[in-house]
Amino acid sequence: MFLRNAEPWMDGSTLGEHLEESGVSRRSFLEFCTEMAVILGLGSAAAPSVAKALEAQKRPTVIWLEMQECTGCVESVLRTEAPTIGDLVLDVVSLDYSETLMAAAGHAVEKAKADSMAKNKGGYVLIVTGSVPTKEDGIYCMVAGRTIREHLEEAAEGAAAIIALGACAHWGSVQAARPNPTGAVGVRDIIKNKPIINIAGCPPIGDVVTASVVHFLTFGRLPSTDREGRPLFAYGNRIHDDCPRRAHYDAGQYVENFDDDAARRGWCLYQMGCKGPATYSPCPIVQWNNRTSWPIGAGHPCIGCTEPYFWDTMTPFYRRLPEVGGFGVEERVDTIGASLAIGAAAGVLTHAGMTVLHQIRRRKSMKQVPEHEHPATEESHNG
Amino acid sequence: MASTKVVVDPITRIEGHLRIEVQAEAGKISGSWATATMFRGIETIMTGRDPRDAWAFTQRICGVCTTVHALASVRAVEDALDIRIPANANIIRNLVHGMQFIQDHVIHFYHLHALDWVDVVSAVGADPNKAAALARSISPWPNNDAAHFAAVQARLKKFVASGQLGIFANGYWGHPAYKLPPEANLMAVSHYLEALDWQRDVIRLHTVFGGKNPHPNFLVGGMASAINLDEVATINAVRLADVMGMIKKAKDFVEQVYWPDLVAIASFYKDWGAIGGGVPNFLACGEFPETDARDLGSLYFPRGIIMGKDLSKVVEYDHKKVAEYITSSWYTYEGGDDKGLHPWEGETTPKYTGAAKYDFLQGEKKYTWMKAPRYEGKPMQVGPLARMLVGYASGHKDIKELVGQALGKLQVGPAVLFSTLGRTAARGIETVLLAHKMQEWFNQLISNVKQGQTATFTKDKWEPHSWPKTAQGYGYLDAPRGALGHWVQIENEKIARYQCVVPSTWNCSPRDAQGQMGAYEAALVDNHPLARPDQPLEILRTIHSFDPCLACGVHVLDADGGLLAEVKVQ
Ligand code: SF4
Ligand code: SF4
């Protein structure tokens, strides 16, 4: 992703100057801006203003900290398939620290990071993947002889903004699932005085990360978010509302078993446990890996990976809503269960029920979620 | 001569967090310690869950070799419940896992390992015409021309001049251990960039069958992607054509870029065929079943063990001879920390004895989160080299042929395989073999569909009420980084116990009760140079040759932090 499509962007020059020097055509740049404007929910008419703002940008510095994680989020960003110029925007940020990609190691990389943080103090973007263990003073994740928490606090200090990339970085994800043996929490539980956005997902789609960076460069601020910190441009809609199988849902045409006749016709996966009705995510619109497909497109129900605590609230994955962890309130079961039993009309009714249900959930911020519904340990929901 | 302590933490360009400490004297490494510095506890989290969900949790053990834990997990659950998956599901899983191998190995070579051998800065001084001549002499790859190389070089020159080196900052450029001529460096840098595009494209195979990558979807009982040629929303002719294109693209790049580059670069580093061998025992659990994972005779890469570098015989692998030691690990055992326990009796009680801040760990009795697995009391190496050696020694036709070819090209004997260079070469060899194999599997899938055989899932035993009250199973898998095993015990429709023994536990293991070192540690003291302690390039070469993947180092612990009785496998 580096040096791939253009000349390197020189320190101090603007993106506009840089593009001109690189021989990138105005047309392909505008195409890229259009694409980004659409993903950002601004509409294609906003492309010229996106372009104008982008062109004036200086090459930004990025420090990427990897904490307690599986590295899937890094891999997802490596798969970014935005238009060529999209790679350019990522390529030419100055990525001054990344454990996965740095050529050097040990003292040499720690020094590169320290130098860059000092030089760009107050101005760099901090990308964080992975969670922070809090039990036993945080000794479950150490780098260079120090806890990752110490590294995070230090790097956050001089950051202009923080991108919590992936489920781990926002709320701890899989290692924070019940019983959360290491006391894993997300960055919002540690850092309270910096703007943080949450690119949700396990992992998130690489292109959504690109779009968020573009947003930051274009408008000089992070995108607007919902109360979970998720950019509205990507996470404003439920999967269920954009799902190509939705017509089957509304018509009461359900897959009853994997590979049954209905599955072979692409009907709705609700009965197989699909969490699309309770999940806010750009999956059906942006799709995965250069729009090749997405989970429901490949016949598997959505597991709700952009939702907080989904390892506990959305499991068992193959149990249908609302019979899963986070949906145990009787009245909801009554409403939805009853409507399901009615038959063909059930689809519409269930849908209405789920919408209400989701609104109920969304009205509660995470710290207001009742204790019994909250899967993680003490430390993990003080934010 | 005085000895020097050298710490490399973090080891970069790997998955997870790894620390290496060595003792060096007169340009040679005399002592080494490998430390996994992260613990996540995923197995603990499995308890009480639906076994059909286990693949998704365990898949998150690693996002680099994504899919491998998911596949080992569904195999373990299917073994426990005695589920036989349809032939197409087995083929699709092989295609997904095969593409994972190919993509992962190529990324490893170019993006995680090559910078140990390729001096990016030296490429600036190359002659693009000579680089093209060199590249063309080894491959017909269309981008191997002077104009292309000149363009890459021009970008590189400016990049270096900009002074903002980003990920290349503070690299060990100009270190005397870099031996490639500038032209070979330029060729490699150019392919580094091309490989970035390529990997994105070929891995879309996961997305077709599993909906996304990283972390595509799996399913106990088969695969969720239904095949119906007459439907828009399923695996149809458009999807299959796309997959066919990706397989071809994968094969072309592996044959025309990765393999020739590997051989060309290796020819400048033949001395590394006598460095960094280490542990002389190799274990492969076998992979790529042609029929069913439990039909061991149908495995494309065979199962077995090589002891003491003896290629004249392959020892049969019996998992009951495995025991784990924690003498040097941050855990404690009820019966004493010097005992070895078979995974069935295993205990995992974390007990950290280090500090929350440290300069050196060496000399501490316990120094890592990795346990030390041993086979009949002996440390083992796992990974591509183990697979290729077991295949070679078992007389596997394809493996013998390609290993022979590689040795012939480099004009060296089989002894060089037991080295840092051997590990890197073996990875390339198996990638070439799998690139061919992918086409065969795909043809088989097409032929099945042609004959009207489209099933991808069996609903037998899908419903929990059809399960026995208790069940247990074992799922093995030879992952890109080596032998992996998942054990599951199911009680009353829920997971009662879950345990994984993973490639990195074998390779990154610390000293055991007898003081025997694990594979990383032993490799670093096997005729191992270290020219400049402040620029530990040689350490990176050997450690990266294992393709470390540290997040795998997870262990079992129950909700109260107490002990779990371990899985009994029949
Ligand atoms: S959020 Fe998911 S993909 Fe990302 S690091 Fe965590 S487990 Fe891996
Ligand atoms: S339930 Fe799932 S598959 Fe069905 S329409 Fe909603 S999101 Fe799509």
Side-chain angles (χ1 to χ4, degrees):
Chain A
M1 78 191 217
F2 302 87
L3 312 175
R4 200 162 58 85
N5 298 303
E7 309 262 325
W9 185 354
M10 301 294 273
D11 207 7
S13 68
T14 64
L15 178 61
E17 289 157 4
H18 166 63
L19 289 174
E20 204 181 311
E21 225 175 293
S22 307
V24 173
S25 78
R26 184 79 199 153
R27 191 163 150 242
S28 65
F29 177 61
L30 278 177
E31 269 167 19
F32 164 70
C33 294
T34 310
E35 176 96 6
M36 282 295 138
V38 170
I39 295 185
L40 289 169
L42 303 169
S44 50
S49 43
V50 170
K52 201 161 161 237
L54 273 185
E55 277 171 325
Q57 282 300 323
K58 301 251 168 80
R59 185 184 186 193
T61 297
V62 173
I63 304 283
W64 186 324
L65 274 193
E66 293 169 50
M67 310 198 293
Q68 207 185 13
E69 60 154 5
C70 78
T71 317
C73 292
V74 179
E75 290 284 326
S76 190
V77 171
L78 287 180
R79 311 275 188 275
T80 299
E81 292 264 13
T84 317
I85 186 81
D87 298 292
L88 171 73
V89 171
L90 269 190
D91 293 355
V92 297
V93 300
S94 190
L95 182 55
D96 287 3
Y97 184 83
S98 150
E99 270 194 51
T100 305
L101 294 167
M102 296 293 277
H107 299 306
V109 283
E110 289 303 303
K111 182 172 183 321
K113 183 176 77 173
D115 290 350
S116 173
M117 289 192 321
K119 185 175 159 215
N120 301 293
K121 199 167 170 49
Y124 57 85
V125 176
L126 176 62
I127 294 183
V128 185
T129 48
S131 58
V132 186
T134 57
K135 280 192 187 158
E136 310 280 341
D137 296 325
I139 48 79
Y140 292 112
C141 185
M142 308 274 291
V143 171
R146 292 193 291 151
T147 63
I148 203 70
R149 180 180 185 144
E150 202 179 323
H151 286 278
L152 171 66
E153 283 168 346
E154 182 186 81
E157 181 76 31
I162 301 177
I163 297 181
L165 205 173
C168 293
H170 184 59
W171 55 268
S173 194
V174 68
Q175 47 278 330
R178 198 182 287 122
N180 193 350
T182 61
V185 302
V187 58
R188 63 178 176 165
D189 292 316
I190 306 281
I191 306 297
K192 310 281 188 186
N193 59 351
K194 293 280 166 175
I196 303 175
I197 55 162
N198 163 24
I199 312 291
C202 183
I205 304 171
D207 292 317
V208 175
V209 181
T210 316
S212 301
V213 172
V214 167
H215 190 289
F216 183 73
L217 295 177
T218 305
F219 303 109
R221 63 168 175 82
L222 294 172
S224 314
T225 66
D226 64 11
R227 57 197 328 160
E228 281 302 324
R230 298 175 294 194
L232 289 170
F233 72 77
Y235 300 90
N237 288 5
R238 287 189 314 166
I239 283 198
H240 188 59
D241 293 330
D242 296 324
C243 181
R245 299 185 184 220
R246 177 57 181 276
H248 297 296
Y249 179 95
D250 291 343
Q253 296 173 321
Y254 301 114
V255 173
E256 304 280 353
N257 232 310
F258 290 105
D259 210 25
D260 67 3
D261 207 45
R264 291 177 190 205
R265 296 171 73 177
W267 285 5
C268 169
L269 292 161
Y270 175 75
Q271 305 279 22
M272 302 314 295
C274 185
K275 305 299 182 289
T279 301
Y280 285 73
S281 165
C283 271
I285 307 272
V286 179
Q287 299 208 2
W288 280 84
N289 311 94
N290 201 15
R291 291 166 205 248
T292 300
S293 190
W294 64 299
I296 290 173
H300 196 280
C302 167
I303 64 170
C305 85
T306 54
E307 293 296 320
Y309 306 99
F310 77 95
W311 295 108
D312 290 314
T313 58
M314 299 292 191
T315 48
F317 288 131
Y318 301 99
R319 188 85 56 82
R320 69 172 180 230
L321 288 169
E323 300 163 1
V324 292
F327 298 84
V329 182
E330 291 67 27
E331 44 168 294
R332 301 177 198 165
V333 178
D334 283 354
T335 324
I336 296 157
S339 60
L340 269 176
I342 299 172
V348 183
L349 288 176
T350 307
H351 173 236
M354 288 312 305
T355 305
V356 171
L357 187 155
H358 202 88
Q359 280 161 355
I360 295 169
R361 278 185 80 224
R362 276 166 68 80
R363 258 185 269 127
K364 301 172 176 174
S365 74
M366 282 321 296
K367 63 180 163 198
Q368 292 165 329
V369 171
E371 215 54 39
H372 71 276
E373 281 190 32
H374 207 294
T377 55
E378 280 300 308
E379 303 96 298
S380 63
H381 53 89
N382 54 6
Chain B
M1 182 121 187
S3 87
T4 324
K5 278 180 174 181
V6 178
V7 177
V8 192
D9 181 0
I11 293 280
T12 47
R13 284 181 278 132
I14 65 164
E15 195 288 328
H17 301 285
L18 172 65
R19 172 187 181 95
I20 297 288
E21 294 187 8
V22 306
Q23 194 86 42
E25 271 155 84
K28 283 258 184 233
I29 297 177
S30 53
S32 71
W33 293 263
T35 300
T37 60
M38 177 175 74
F39 174 86
R40 298 197 298 160
I42 289 178
E43 290 150 312
T44 312
I45 292 162
M46 306 304 298
T47 311
R49 312 242 173 210
D50 187 328
R52 296 170 302 177
D53 290 353
W55 68 262
F57 284 82
T58 58
Q59 187 175 49
R60 269 68 183 183
I61 288 173
C62 183
V64 174
C65 50
T66 183
T67 79
V68 308
H69 290 281
L71 189 45
S73 176
V74 293
R75 281 182 183 170
V77 175
E78 285 158 4
D79 183 44
L81 301 173
D82 193 22
I83 297 170
R84 302 278 158 171
I85 61 168
N88 288 340
N90 186 62
I91 296 174
I92 293 172
R93 287 178 182 183
N94 280 348
L95 287 170
V96 168
H97 192 200
M99 194 58 98
Q100 177 62 33
F101 258 83
I102 294 169
Q103 186 237 23
D104 200 26
H105 282 352
V106 171
I107 291 187
H108 176 262
F109 182 72
Y110 287 104
H111 308 121
L112 307 182
H113 200 18
L115 301 179
D116 302 337
W117 312 98
V118 172
D119 185 335
V120 175
V121 175
S122 137
V124 169
D127 174 344
N129 289 309
K130 279 199 203 152
L134 166 73
R136 253 186 269 117
S137 75
I138 59 171
S139 164
W141 186 245
N143 276 344
N144 283 347
D145 65 59
H148 184 80
F149 289 147
V152 170
Q153 189 186 41
R155 280 186 235 154
L156 198 59
K157 274 188 180 155
K158 261 193 107 175
F159 185 80
V160 172
S162 84
Q164 274 193 297
L165 287 182
I167 57 161
F168 299 125
N170 290 3
Y172 310 126
W173 318 122
H175 189 289
Y178 282 118
K179 293 275 165 57
L180 293 184
E183 285 70 29
N185 285 321
L186 179 57
M187 175 184 82
V189 169
S190 175
H191 293 161
Y192 175 108
L193 301 174
E194 280 191 65
L196 276 168
D197 280 345
W198 171 90
Q199 59 90 18
R200 254 189 293 262
D201 211 7
V202 297
I203 206 62
R204 294 184 308 104
L205 184 143
H206 285 193
T207 318
V208 170
F209 293 115
K212 68 202 269 270
N213 171 279
H215 299 330
N217 294 302
F218 281 81
L219 186 66
V220 167
M223 292 297 282
S225 47
I227 300 171
N228 182 352
L229 297 180
D230 303 320
E231 185 56 60
V232 178
T234 51
I235 302 299
N236 53 27
V238 178
R239 301 267 181 206
L240 290 171
D242 194 14
V243 168
M244 193 164 81
M246 287 182 245
I247 290 172
K248 178 164 187 327
K249 190 166 182 164
K251 185 161 167 282
D252 287 350
F253 195 85
V254 166
E255 285 178 346
Q256 296 181 30
V257 186
Y258 172 37
W259 180 241
D261 279 5
L262 175 53
V263 175
I265 293 172
S267 70
F268 289 95
Y269 290 107
K270 282 191 221 171
D271 51 331
W272 281 80
I275 295 170
V279 168
N281 317 313
F282 300 84
L283 183 158
C285 65
E287 189 46 58
F288 298 108
E290 297 292 325
T291 53
D292 183 281
R294 275 158 292 175
D295 179 1
L296 297 179
S298 84
L299 295 174
Y300 180 54
F301 290 158
R303 175 177 287 194
I305 285 175
I306 303 287
M307 278 294 188
K309 301 189 187 176
D310 180 2
L311 293 177
S312 72
K313 69 167 184 282
V314 178
V315 181
E316 205 180 316
Y317 164 66
D318 173 4
H319 74 84
K320 292 189 197 75
K321 295 180 177 166
V322 173
E324 292 199 290
Y325 292 82
I326 51 137
T327 320
S328 305
S329 320
W330 287 313
Y331 303 96
T332 180
Y333 278 172
E334 267 192 343
D337 291 1
D338 285 345
K339 256 176 74 184
L341 295 180
H342 183 270
W344 286 352
E345 284 96 41
E347 301 170 9
T348 305
T349 312
K351 192 179 170 205
Y352 186 74
T353 52
K357 211 168 203 163
Y358 46 76
D359 291 325
F360 295 104
L361 284 169
Q362 71 185 63
E364 303 262 346
K365 187 161 163 50
K366 291 178 181 280
Y367 58 90
T368 180
W369 287 112
M370 288 287 171
K371 287 184 179 178
R374 296 292 181 261
Y375 189 82
E376 285 188 315
K378 298 262 179 4
M380 311 295 287
Q381 283 195 44
V382 300
L385 180 56
R387 280 189 290 267
M388 293 304 98
L389 290 176
V390 168
Y392 188 82
S394 3
H396 188 290
K397 196 178 136 287
D398 300 349
I399 293 175
K400 272 204 101 135
E401 198 183 303
L402 206 53
V403 171
Q405 239 184 59
L407 295 175
K409 271 195 187 149
L410 294 173
Q411 294 170 310
V412 292
V416 304
L417 291 170
F418 304 106
S419 66
T420 291
L421 187 68
R423 274 186 295 272
T424 300
R427 188 170 290 113
I429 291 169
E430 69 176 17
T431 312
V432 173
L433 293 176
L434 286 173
H436 282 266
K437 207 66 194 164
M438 291 288 283
Q439 188 63 51
E440 282 177 35
W441 289 323
F442 183 74
N443 293 347
Q444 186 60 49
L445 180 66
I446 295 296
S447 136
N448 288 354
V449 173
K450 223 180 202 168
Q451 290 160 28
Q453 199 185 326
T454 54
T456 53
F457 169 78
T458 170
K459 72 177 201 293
D460 271 14
K461 321 254 184 68
W462 173 254
E463 292 302 335
H465 59 71
S466 69
W467 302 345
K469 215 171 134 31
T470 61
Q472 52 208 2
Y474 165 58
Y476 67 89
L477 175 129
D478 228 318
R481 288 162 185 81
L484 164 67
H486 281 207
W487 287 261
V488 64
Q489 188 172 53
I490 301 167
E491 264 174 41
N492 299 324
E493 306 178 9
K494 298 233 158 62
I495 293 172
R497 316 260 192 278
Y498 204 98
Q499 185 166 32
C500 318
V501 176
V502 308
S504 296
T505 327
W506 287 104
N507 285 342
C508 185
S509 101
R511 285 152 172 78
D512 58 30
Q514 296 174 51
Q516 300 180 100
M517 292 183 283
Y520 294 180
E521 293 180 340
L524 284 174
V525 292
D526 184 354
N527 182 33
H528 209 290
L530 180 63
R532 297 178 174 173
D534 58 329
Q535 296 196 330
L537 179 62
E538 298 95 335
I539 294 179
L540 294 184
R541 284 182 179 174
T542 289
I543 293 298
H544 285 151
S545 73
F546 286 97
D547 193 0
C549 181
L550 271 286
C552 275
V554 291
H555 294 282
V556 184
L557 156 86
D558 74 13
D560 305 311
L563 301 178
L564 279 187
E566 291 297 331
V567 186
K568 295 261 190 274
V569 182
Q570 272 150 2

